[in-house]
């Protein structure tokens, strides 16, 4: 059904979107040549009516999509069993009971009143042939129907079927044709006339056959199909089983009635319709140059459209019902109401009417493709409908895991394309690695999306999503002593959100700002390892950015902090390498390394403490949240750096005697009002200024270990 719907759409849109060739009016053709064949006149009538042209296309589509006719089986000759029985009866003088006495084609219907008929085998075969002939006519296969009649030894029925063809004679038609077509026709001996010269009489006979109650229903349906009209429509509709059958019957009647009415209007000017008298009458009726009126086109169109609209409620015996989505779509396409169709489907999606339907994914795909197709051929489509339908289909693709298609359909959303594709990428969360994320952005570029904008929006939405799950960085200051717990999925999501803006240099400025946001959160939560992992993920080019200045400075301060923190870790590692069994040379080498690392840690820490670490950003106009985050980070790590440096210096005094002096000198830096480091101490255990002063007191006492009573003597050594 979907394939048939696309075939209908292609056929009708080709007709509606192309400029049709100009065809002369039938009256003009007859004024030039009163011998113009009816087939040529019918062609002119058809092209003069856009609706009739569309209905002819629909009828051809219905022919192409009709079920393939079933063969009636091997022929037994013309009523073979009945013929043998009749001949046997004539020889013996005893005719079979209930058997026809003649073998002419009308014998069965003529003697049916007397209760006579064919033998059961012949009657069954006759019914099968009639059904097959009807199926051929339903599929527009008149030639195949004629061949079947001849194979069944019913040439008289073949002749009656060929009567449906309009009379044509190219030699006198005055039709514009190219030379190749003329050569082909000459080769086919097409100078001969074809079709039915007396088609009007034939049609009246077919109507009488169709309305004859004494004939089998299959035969009545066959002739009603050959000559569809308002008179035979009841018979034809009674034989319709599917919705497509009802549509075909209606369209066939409408086309035939319009052509018949058009030919009837000009019969006085046409030799083939009015005879020799038409030539004389035509000379007088057309001498004033007036083109004959072919009838009320507007009234006919209203009647046809109203009748077509009634198909939305027709009851069917077989196949999909009239309210099936594809039948609704086909009817709207025929009526040229695709905008109304899409808006109706979009409203249904908004109301959630189709979600539980088993065909929901397929129908959503069809309507999404219909939106795109109509856009491509510049047909008017509601932007609202496109937005809703494509959004629904994107959700179907996401649920099906068809990631490679999403960028293509998101690109059709216009102004919302970037936001929608970014929403999809955000929904991937941790399911893809960096290479897969880069590929997803490449697909966006391939389908015309602003890939840099997609990357930025995706990162923003991912950060927002992570922050809605993660606990805020506030409350008591976290402990940074001991092993950190394993990262949670939301923390990994926040960490990896930075990947989106690190694929392109053009988004590095955004990556810088987002990296600072993430670092502030991790450091404010005491998640040092995650913050370190983030820094290792970032491209080194971020450290060279100068603008915006406050963001660049903040980022530089974070790198400075981790440089100091790494040095502390190396001091601990080096201290652990000391062994009692070291020889003199090894101990000297180790001591030099140990002393160098402690000196580096002391210099780097003092540089950090005395260079407005994360305080210059506080002076810039920032949001309250950023100011709170920076103050919190200083309260967590400034006391920790001071106490750790003090502890390292004091604990190493036995090996590096001057370190006790450096430890006591650090007090002056902490107390210096220029740096206000004392403000960063809090009231929590381990971070109180009193805790540090207690450690200083122990250092002073340690300075007296060498003798003497002056606690400040070590400062002058």
């Amino acid at each position: 059904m979907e394939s048939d719907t696309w075939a209908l759409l292609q056929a009708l849109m080709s007709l509606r979107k192309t400029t049709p060739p100009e065809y002369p009016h039938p009256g003009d053709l007859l004024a030039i040549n009163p011998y113009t064949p009816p087939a040529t006149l019918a062609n002119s009538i058809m092209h003069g009516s856009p609706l009739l042209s569309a209905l002819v296309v629909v009828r051809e589509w219905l022919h192409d999509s009709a079920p393939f006719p079933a063969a009636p089986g091997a022929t037994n000759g013309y009523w073979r069993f009945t013929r043998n029985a009749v001949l046997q009866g004539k020889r013996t003088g005893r005719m079979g009971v209930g058997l026809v006495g003649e073998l002419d084609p009308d014998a069965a219907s003529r003697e049916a009143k007397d209760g006579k008929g064919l033998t059961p085998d012949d009657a069954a075969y006759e019914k099968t042939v009639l059904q097959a002939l009807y199926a051929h006519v339903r599929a527009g296969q008149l030639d195949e129907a004629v061949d079947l009649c001849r194979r069944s030894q019913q040439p008289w029925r073949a002749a009656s079927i060929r009567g449906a063809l309009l009379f044509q004679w190219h030699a006198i038609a005055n039709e514009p044709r190219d030379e190749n077509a003329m050569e082909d026709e000459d080769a086919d001996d097409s100078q001969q006339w074809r079709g039915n010269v007396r088609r009007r009489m034939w049609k009246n006979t077919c109507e009488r056959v169709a309305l004859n109650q004494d004939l089998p229903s299959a035969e009545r349906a066959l002739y009603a199909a050959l000559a569809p009209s308002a008179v035979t429509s009841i018979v034809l509709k009674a034989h319709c089983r599917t919705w497509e059958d009802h549509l075909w019957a209606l369209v066939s009647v409408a086309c035939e009635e319009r052509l018949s009415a058009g030919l009837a209007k000009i019969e006085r000017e046409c030799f083939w319709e009015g005879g020799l008298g038409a030539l004389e009458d035509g000379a007088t009726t057309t001498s004033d140059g007036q083109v004959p009126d072919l009838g009320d086109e507007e009234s006919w169109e209203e009647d046809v459209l109203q009748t077509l609209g009634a198909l939305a409620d027709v009851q069917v015996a077989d196949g999909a019902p009239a309210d099936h989505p594809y039948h609704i779509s086909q009817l709207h396409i025929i009526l040229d109401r695709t905008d109304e169709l899409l808006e109706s489907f979009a409203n249904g999606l908004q109301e959630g009417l189709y979600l539980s339907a088993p065909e929901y994914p397929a129908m959503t795909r069809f309507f999404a493709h219909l939106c795109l197709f109509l856009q491509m051929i510049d047909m008017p489509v509601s932007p609202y409908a496109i937005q809703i339908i494509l959004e629904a289909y994107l959700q179907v693709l996401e649920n099906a895991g068809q990631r490679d298609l999403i960028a293509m359909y998101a690109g059709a959303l216009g102004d919302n394309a970037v936001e929608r594709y970014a929403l999809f990428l955000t929904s991937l969360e941790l399911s893809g690695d960096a290479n897969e994320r880069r590929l997803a952005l490449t697909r966006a570029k391939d389908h015309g999306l602003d890939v840099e904008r997609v990357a930025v929006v995706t990162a923003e939405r991912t950060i927002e999503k992570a922050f809605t799950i993660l606990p805020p960085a506030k409350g008591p200051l976290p402990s940074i002593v001991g092993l950190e717990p394993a990262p949670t999925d939301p923390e990994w999501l926040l960490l990896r959100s930075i990947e989106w803006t690190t694929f392109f240099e053009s988004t590095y400025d955004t990556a810088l700002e987002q990296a600072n946001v993430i670092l502030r959160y991790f450091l404010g939560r005491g998640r040092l390892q995650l913050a370190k992992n983030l820094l290792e993920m970032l491209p080194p080019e971020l450290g060279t950015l100068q603008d915006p200045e406050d963001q660049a400075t903040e980022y530089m301060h974070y790198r400075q902090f981790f440089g100091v923190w790494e040095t502390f870790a190396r001091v601990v590692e080096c201290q652990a390498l000391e062994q009692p069994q070291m020889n003199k040379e090894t101990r000297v080498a180790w001591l030099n390394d140990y002393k160098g690392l402690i000196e580096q840690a002391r210099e780097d820490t003092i540089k950090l403490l005395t260079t407005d670490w994360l305080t210059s950003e506080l002076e810039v106009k920032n949001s309250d949240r950023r100011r709170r985050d920076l103050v919190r980070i200083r309260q967590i790590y400034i006391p920790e750096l001071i106490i750790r440096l003090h502890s390292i210096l004091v604990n190493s005094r036995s090996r590096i005697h001057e370190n006790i002096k450096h430890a006591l000198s650090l007090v002056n830096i902490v107390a210096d009002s220029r740096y206000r480091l004392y403000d960063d101490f809090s009231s929590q255990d381990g971070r109180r200024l009193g805790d540090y002063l207690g450690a200083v007191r122990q250092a002073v006492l340690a300075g007296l270990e060498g003798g003497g009573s002056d606690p400040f003597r070590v400062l002058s050594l």
Side-chain angles (χ1 to χ4, degrees):
M1 292 180 70
E2 183 176 0
S3 175
D4 290 343
T5 307
W6 281 114
L8 171 65
L9 189 68
Q10 182 180 16
L12 281 177
M13 290 306 166
S14 297
L15 174 69
R16 291 168 179 165
K17 292 298 293 183
T18 56
T19 303
E22 295 185 3
Y23 283 85
H25 191 277
D28 294 335
L29 290 173
L30 292 172
I32 299 172
N33 178 14
Y35 297 98
T36 302
T40 302
L41 297 174
N43 195 41
S44 178
I45 293 171
M46 181 191 72
H47 286 94
S49 169
L51 179 57
L52 180 57
S53 298
L55 291 179
V56 171
V57 170
V58 172
R59 184 175 61 183
E60 293 175 353
W61 166 74
L62 287 164
H63 289 163
D64 294 338
S65 60
F68 191 80
T75 178
N76 293 319
Y78 179 68
W79 294 353
R80 174 185 175 187
F81 298 104
T82 304
R83 184 180 71 247
N84 292 339
V86 170
L87 293 176
Q88 179 69 17
K90 289 185 178 294
R91 284 196 298 267
T92 61
R94 291 185 300 177
M95 297 298 294
V97 179
L99 217 65
V100 295
E102 305 293 339
L103 294 176
D104 62 277
D106 295 324
S109 59
R110 186 176 60 249
E111 300 183 30
K113 299 176 183 178
D114 301 327
K116 296 180 179 181
L118 306 178
T119 61
D121 289 336
D122 287 338
Y125 184 76
E126 184 77 2
K127 182 178 180 181
T128 305
V129 169
L130 288 171
Q131 291 173 342
L133 290 174
Y134 175 84
H136 280 299
V137 175
R138 165 69 178 84
Q141 301 172 354
L142 291 186
D143 291 339
E144 288 80 353
V146 169
D147 290 340
L148 175 57
C149 291
R150 289 171 177 165
R151 292 197 308 271
S152 302
Q153 299 184 15
Q154 298 181 6
W156 54 271
R157 183 167 277 149
S160 67
I161 291 176
R162 287 188 62 84
L165 300 176
L166 285 164
F167 176 69
Q168 180 60 284
W169 194 352
H170 290 300
I172 62 172
N174 295 334
E175 291 179 313
R177 291 172 290 158
D178 57 43
E179 295 181 358
N180 294 331
M182 293 177 65
E183 291 177 1
D184 294 340
E185 290 173 357
D186 290 340
D188 295 338
D189 195 24
S190 59
Q191 297 299 316
Q192 299 287 336
W193 61 268
R194 298 179 179 182
N196 191 350
V197 179
R198 297 177 177 84
R199 191 174 184 276
R200 185 165 50 182
M201 181 186 300
W202 167 88
K203 182 178 178 182
N204 291 335
T205 305
C206 288
E207 290 177 353
R208 294 180 62 183
V209 173
L211 298 175
N212 190 342
Q213 299 278 346
D214 296 331
L215 294 177
S217 61
E219 188 158 13
R220 295 176 61 199
L222 171 62
Y223 285 96
L226 286 170
S229 65
V231 177
T232 62
S233 62
I234 297 178
V235 178
L236 193 56
K237 290 178 181 178
H239 207 72
C240 294
R241 306 285 299 173
T242 65
W243 186 86
E244 289 80 4
D245 289 341
H246 284 280
L247 175 61
W248 168 75
L250 191 155
V251 170
S252 297
V253 170
C255 291
E256 182 67 27
E257 288 288 280
R258 185 57 184 163
L259 289 175
S260 297
L263 290 173
K265 289 288 183 179
I266 57 176
E267 66 178 357
R268 297 181 60 188
E269 289 81 35
C270 178
F271 169 77
W272 305 106
E273 296 290 322
L276 290 173
L279 301 183
E280 299 176 359
D281 295 340
T284 59
T285 55
T286 59
S287 60
D288 57 357
Q290 296 295 322
V291 176
D293 183 16
L294 297 183
D296 189 352
E297 173 78 13
E298 184 176 349
S299 176
W300 172 78
E301 288 186 358
E302 290 180 359
D303 292 342
V304 171
L305 294 177
Q306 182 178 0
T307 309
L308 283 172
L311 285 174
D313 302 316
V314 70
Q315 299 297 316
V316 300
D318 294 328
D323 60 355
H324 190 280
Y326 283 123
H327 284 161
I328 295 174
S329 301
Q330 291 166 5
L331 188 56
H332 278 78
I333 292 169
I334 294 170
L335 296 173
D336 199 15
R337 299 173 184 170
T338 51
D339 52 344
E340 179 182 319
L341 170 67
L342 294 176
E343 288 185 5
S344 175
F345 186 72
N347 290 333
L349 289 174
Q350 287 287 81
E351 297 171 7
L353 300 181
Y354 313 122
L355 287 175
S356 59
E359 64 271 16
Y360 174 75
M363 290 308 306
T364 309
R365 178 192 64 214
F366 167 76
F367 280 103
H369 290 168
L370 180 59
C371 289
L372 299 179
F373 174 75
L374 294 176
Q375 273 190 324
M376 290 174 62
I377 62 175
D378 297 326
M379 291 290 289
V381 184
S382 165
Y384 162 81
I386 293 179
Q387 178 77 19
I388 299 301
I389 293 172
L390 289 181
E391 285 278 2
Y393 185 50
L394 285 170
Q395 189 62 51
V396 170
L397 291 175
E398 290 179 21
N399 295 338
Q402 295 179 299
R403 299 179 181 179
D404 54 331
L405 298 177
I406 292 177
M408 178 174 67
Y409 290 98
L413 285 172
D415 295 339
N416 295 321
V418 168
E419 188 72 31
R420 184 58 185 82
Y421 191 56
L423 183 63
F424 158 68
L425 295 180
T426 303
S427 70
L428 297 180
E429 296 188 351
L430 301 172
S431 60
D433 58 18
N435 291 331
E436 291 178 356
R437 292 185 171 191
R438 186 187 294 272
L439 179 60
L441 291 177
T442 302
R443 292 194 189 106
K445 184 177 182 180
D446 293 341
H447 294 289
L449 296 177
D450 184 344
V451 66
E452 288 83 5
R453 183 60 187 155
V454 169
V456 170
V457 175
T458 303
E460 291 174 350
R461 298 296 172 266
T462 304
I463 293 173
E464 292 170 0
K465 184 174 184 178
F467 278 146
T468 59
I469 305 172
L470 291 168
K474 62 182 182 180
L477 301 179
S479 172
I480 54 176
V481 178
L483 293 176
E484 296 182 25
T488 63
D489 284 346
E491 287 176 330
W492 277 120
L493 183 63
L494 180 61
L495 174 68
R496 293 194 57 200
S497 67
I498 200 65
E499 289 179 355
W500 295 109
T501 49
T502 57
F503 293 128
F504 311 102
E505 290 187 12
S506 56
T507 59
Y508 279 177
D509 54 342
T510 303
L512 177 66
E513 182 177 354
Q514 292 174 342
N516 286 338
V517 170
I518 300 171
L519 286 167
R520 283 198 296 272
Y521 177 80
F522 283 148
L523 291 175
R525 292 280 300 169
R527 305 293 273 155
L528 278 167
Q529 187 58 47
L530 283 171
K532 181 181 178 183
N533 291 343
L534 175 62
L535 285 176
E536 292 173 349
M537 289 172 55
L538 297 173
E541 291 81 2
L542 250 61
T544 64
L545 296 179
Q546 302 297 322
D547 295 314
E549 184 178 355
D550 62 323
Q551 297 290 340
T553 303
E554 181 180 352
Y555 180 69
M556 183 268 292
H557 284 170
Y558 292 134
R559 300 196 71 89
Q560 180 186 12
F561 167 77
F562 277 99
V564 174
W565 202 261
E566 179 64 23
T567 304
F568 280 142
R570 291 171 61 194
V571 169
V572 174
E573 292 174 358
C574 185
Q575 183 180 1
L577 294 177
E578 182 184 14
Q579 298 294 333
Q581 63 271 24
M582 284 182 178
N583 58 39
K584 184 177 181 180
E585 293 181 358
T586 303
R587 181 171 294 278
V588 170
W590 169 83
L591 185 59
N592 288 334
D593 292 340
Y594 184 51
K595 183 178 180 180
L597 287 172
I598 291 177
E599 183 62 20
Q600 181 183 349
R602 186 181 71 84
E603 292 177 356
D604 291 346
T605 303
I606 291 175
K607 182 178 180 181
L608 183 148
L609 296 175
T610 58
T611 53
D612 299 327
W613 185 72
L614 294 182
T615 58
S616 57
E617 288 72 35
L618 294 175
E619 299 172 1
V620 181
K621 185 178 181 180
N622 290 311
S623 67
D624 292 340
R625 177 177 177 177
R626 185 184 180 193
R627 293 176 62 86
R628 288 196 303 270
D629 290 345
L630 294 176
V631 169
R632 178 182 177 88
I633 292 171
R634 284 186 60 90
Q635 289 178 342
I636 296 173
Y637 298 102
I638 291 296
E640 185 68 25
L641 290 175
I642 294 172
I643 292 173
R644 285 201 178 197
L645 178 59
H646 176 85
S647 176
I648 288 174
L649 292 173
V650 172
N651 291 338
S652 62
R653 68 185 185 277
S654 61
R655 301 171 184 81
I656 309 169
H657 302 295
E658 63 269 23
N659 278 356
I660 191 68
K661 173 182 176 181
H662 294 320
L664 295 177
S665 298
L666 180 61
V667 178
N668 296 328
I669 298 175
V670 174
D672 197 321
S673 61
R674 291 175 299 174
Y675 312 128
R676 302 184 64 85
L677 297 176
Y678 43 80
D679 290 338
D680 294 313
F681 286 87
S682 67
S683 59
Q684 287 187 217
D685 290 343
R687 292 192 175 90
R688 290 198 281 271
L689 184 59
D691 296 331
Y692 171 62
L693 294 178
V696 171
R697 179 175 178 278
Q698 295 297 324
V700 171
L701 295 177
L704 299 176
E705 292 175 351
S709 59
D710 185 1
F712 300 105
R713 182 176 64 87
V714 294
L715 296 175
S716 60
L717 294 177

